[in-house]
Amino acid sequence: MHIPSNVLFWLTGASIALTSGIAIAQTSPDFKKTKLTGDFISEGVAVADLNKDGKPDIVAGYYWFEAPQWTKHEMAPSRVFDPRKEYSNSFLNMGMDVNQDGWEDVVIVDFPGKPGFWFENNQNKPGEWKKHIIADSMGIANESPGFIDIDGDGKLDILCSDPKKKQIVWLKAPLKAGDTEWKRYPLSKENVNGTENFSHGIGFGDVNNDGISDVVIKEGWFQGTRDLKAGNWEFHPANLGEACSHMQILDVNGDGKNDVVSASAHALGVWWHEQVKDANGKIDFKTHLMSNTTAQTHSSIMADLNEDGRKDYITGKRFLAHHGRDPGDSDPAILLWFEFTPGKEPYFKEHRIDNDSGAGLNIVVTDINADKKQDIVVANKNGVFLFENAMKK
C-alpha cells in the first residue's frame, strides 16, 4: 500500500497516518492503553482503593472509576466541561487516608489560587462525600505543587506556595485519627520569588549534597535546613530555565552533582540543567535541551518504568492547555518518557508512549494490575487513560 510522504510522520518507529487532517492514534507496544472516558472532567488524577476491595481504583476530579471494569461513580455533583472554553474544578488529585480512619480519601487542588480541599470517603454508603477545606482556605498559587513526603513520615504532604504571604510552604495532613485539619508550615521568608499566582515550577531534593533536601524554583533554590518549620531557608538565585512543570532533582550525567530536569508548561522544550560552579565557586546551572517533541508539558513524575534500578522521567502534553490559544495547543497529545544513562552522552534516551492522550497537571505511576510493573494513569481535556506497562526486560 502506498502512503504519500506528506501524510506520514513518525513516533518511536511507529507512524501516524494523516487522512484529511485526522491523526490515527498510535500506542507503543510497550504499553496497553485503556481509555476510561473521553470526557473532560479533570486535569488531575489519582489512584486509591476507595471501596476497600483490594483493587486500586482511578480518580479524576469528582469522579472515581471502580476497578477492574472502570465503572464510573460520582463523589459529589459535577459535570463534563468544554475543553475549548472551560477549565475544570480539579487541577491536581491525590489519594490518601487523610483522617486515618482506614479508608482512602481524595485530595483535590482546585484552580490556582483557590483553596485546596479533600473529599472524605463515605465508606461504601450512598450519598455525597463530605468536603473539607485544606489549611484555613489557603490558596495554592503554584500550578505544579508537589505531592511529596517532606518530613519522611511515610505520608505524602503538599509542597506549594502561599499566594497571600508569598511564601514557600508545605501542608501536612492530620496527625491523629479522626482529625481533619491540615497544618501549614513555612520554609521560606515572605515575599519571595516563585509564589505569585499562576507561578510555574517547584521541586524538592538535595541540590548541594549536604544530606538535606532543598526547594528549587525556576529563579533559583532555597537551601534547606533540618528545621522544616523555620520559614528562613536562604535563597540562592540561579537560572533554572523557563516557566515549567514539576522540577525533578537527580544526577543526570553521573558526575556526583545533582542536576535539575524540567519541562515547559506552556511552550516547547524539556531540559536538564547541569550543576556547575560559577567564577566565584558558587552553584550555578548550565541548561541542555533534551527534547522539543511536544509543547505544553505541564506535569512530570519520576518512576522506574523499565526496571533497570534507575528512575525515569515521564511527561506529556497538556492538550488544549489554554483552550487552543497557544501555539501547538491542539497538536497531537503525546505522552513520553526518558531513561537516563549517566556516564554515556547525551545521558538520556527519549521514548514515545502514545500520541492521543497526553497528560494533565499531575501524573500517577503505580502498579495497577499487580504484575509488579509500574503503570501510568493520566487525565486531561482529552479524557482519562490507563497505560499498563508491558515492557520486557
Side-chain angles (χ1 to χ4, degrees):
M1 179 179 66
H2 174 69
I3 300 176
S5 59
N6 65 341
V7 295
L8 196 64
F9 69 94
W10 297 91
L11 278 178
T12 317
S15 64
I16 303 175
L18 299 182
T19 305
S20 301
I22 300 174
I24 299 174
Q26 294 286 339
T27 303
S28 164
D30 287 334
F31 292 88
K32 176 187 174 184
K33 177 181 179 180
T34 301
K35 186 174 186 177
L36 280 66
T37 179
D39 292 336
F40 172 32
I41 54 177
S42 174
E43 293 199 84
V45 71
V47 172
D49 181 7
L50 296 184
N51 56 356
K52 293 188 76 169
D53 66 352
K55 300 180 181 70
D57 307 301
I58 292 175
V59 179
Y62 288 46
Y63 301 93
W64 66 282
F65 298 83
E66 181 182 354
Q69 300 301 320
W70 309 121
T71 306
K72 184 179 175 183
H73 304 277
E74 190 177 62
M75 290 178 285
S78 188
R79 62 182 176 85
V80 174
F81 299 90
D82 185 338
R84 292 191 176 273
K85 295 180 180 179
E86 300 176 287
Y87 296 106
S88 74
N89 51 13
S90 169
F91 273 56
L92 297 94
N93 299 166
M94 174 171 61
M96 66 181 298
D97 183 3
V98 176
N99 57 349
Q100 301 179 60
D101 63 354
W103 292 79
E104 292 194 87
D105 310 297
V106 174
V107 177
I108 293 183
V109 176
D110 205 331
F111 191 87
K114 286 189 176 182
F117 59 91
W118 61 282
F119 283 125
E120 182 178 350
N121 196 314
N122 69 354
Q123 303 183 11
N124 288 334
K125 300 171 186 175
E128 186 175 339
W129 292 27
K130 186 175 181 180
K131 180 179 178 180
H132 302 269
I133 299 296
I134 293 176
D136 297 326
S137 300
M138 191 202 86
I140 296 176
N142 195 291
E143 288 198 24
S144 299
F147 300 142
I148 302 165
D149 182 4
I150 300 292
D151 57 0
D153 68 350
K155 294 186 67 175
L156 291 176
D157 309 295
I158 302 176
L159 174 68
C160 60
S161 55
D162 182 343
K164 296 178 182 178
K165 294 191 174 183
K166 297 190 180 303
Q167 193 172 27
I168 304 294
V169 302
W170 62 286
L171 309 176
K172 184 172 181 59
L175 292 173
K176 298 179 181 178
D179 284 355
T180 60
E181 182 182 358
W182 293 60
K183 298 293 185 182
R184 171 198 180 278
Y185 297 116
L187 295 177
S188 76
K189 299 175 183 178
E190 296 183 11
N191 299 309
V192 299
N193 287 323
T195 57
E196 66 277 5
N197 210 8
F198 306 112
S199 57
H200 289 77
I202 194 167
F204 190 72
D206 188 0
V207 172
N208 57 350
N209 285 331
D210 65 354
I212 302 172
S213 290
D214 312 294
V215 169
V216 293
I217 58 174
K218 68 182 183 66
E219 294 88 356
W221 60 286
F222 296 89
Q223 185 172 347
T225 70
R226 300 208 179 274
D227 187 351
L228 296 172
K229 306 172 185 177
N232 62 359
W233 286 15
E234 181 183 0
F235 181 66
H236 300 274
N239 183 0
L240 282 164
E242 301 179 20
C244 58
S245 50
H246 309 92
M247 304 174 77
Q248 311 293 346
I249 300 174
L250 65 149
D251 183 2
V252 172
N253 57 356
D255 66 353
K257 299 189 293 289
N258 277 335
D259 312 299
V260 179
V261 179
S262 65
S264 179
H266 292 295
L268 181 65
V270 179
W271 310 277
W272 72 280
H273 309 279
E274 180 184 4
Q275 185 178 149
V276 296
K277 301 288 185 181
D278 68 11
N280 298 315
K282 294 182 179 179
I283 290 176
D284 202 356
F285 295 90
K286 179 181 179 181
T287 297
H288 305 271
L289 179 68
M290 290 174 59
S291 175
N292 57 9
T293 295
T294 186
Q296 318 286 337
T297 41
H298 211 302
S299 59
S300 76
I301 194 170
M302 299 291 295
D304 185 3
L305 293 178
N306 58 356
E307 301 180 273
D308 67 352
R310 287 190 299 268
K311 287 188 176 182
D312 309 299
Y313 179 84
I314 302 105
T315 188
K317 180 184 183 63
R318 183 185 175 195
F319 187 63
L320 296 176
H322 289 153
H323 314 313
R325 299 196 304 267
D326 296 326
D329 211 359
S330 57
D331 286 349
I334 293 172
L335 183 65
L336 64 164
W337 68 282
F338 298 82
E339 64 177 310
F340 293 103
T341 57
K344 182 180 178 181
E345 294 189 66
Y347 310 121
F348 61 89
K349 184 177 181 180
E350 178 179 338
H351 304 269
R352 320 276 179 88
I353 298 171
D354 185 65
N355 78 302
D356 189 22
S357 53
L361 274 84
N362 76 291
I363 302 167
V364 172
V365 179
T366 190
D367 183 3
I368 287 282
N369 54 13
D371 66 353
K372 298 183 180 180
K373 293 182 179 180
Q374 297 294 292
D375 309 305
I376 302 172
V377 187
V378 294
N380 61 11
K381 293 183 178 73
N382 211 20
V384 182
F385 302 87
L386 164 64
F387 291 89
E388 294 174 77
N389 191 336
M391 276 190 256
K392 298 178 181 179
K393 285 189 177 182

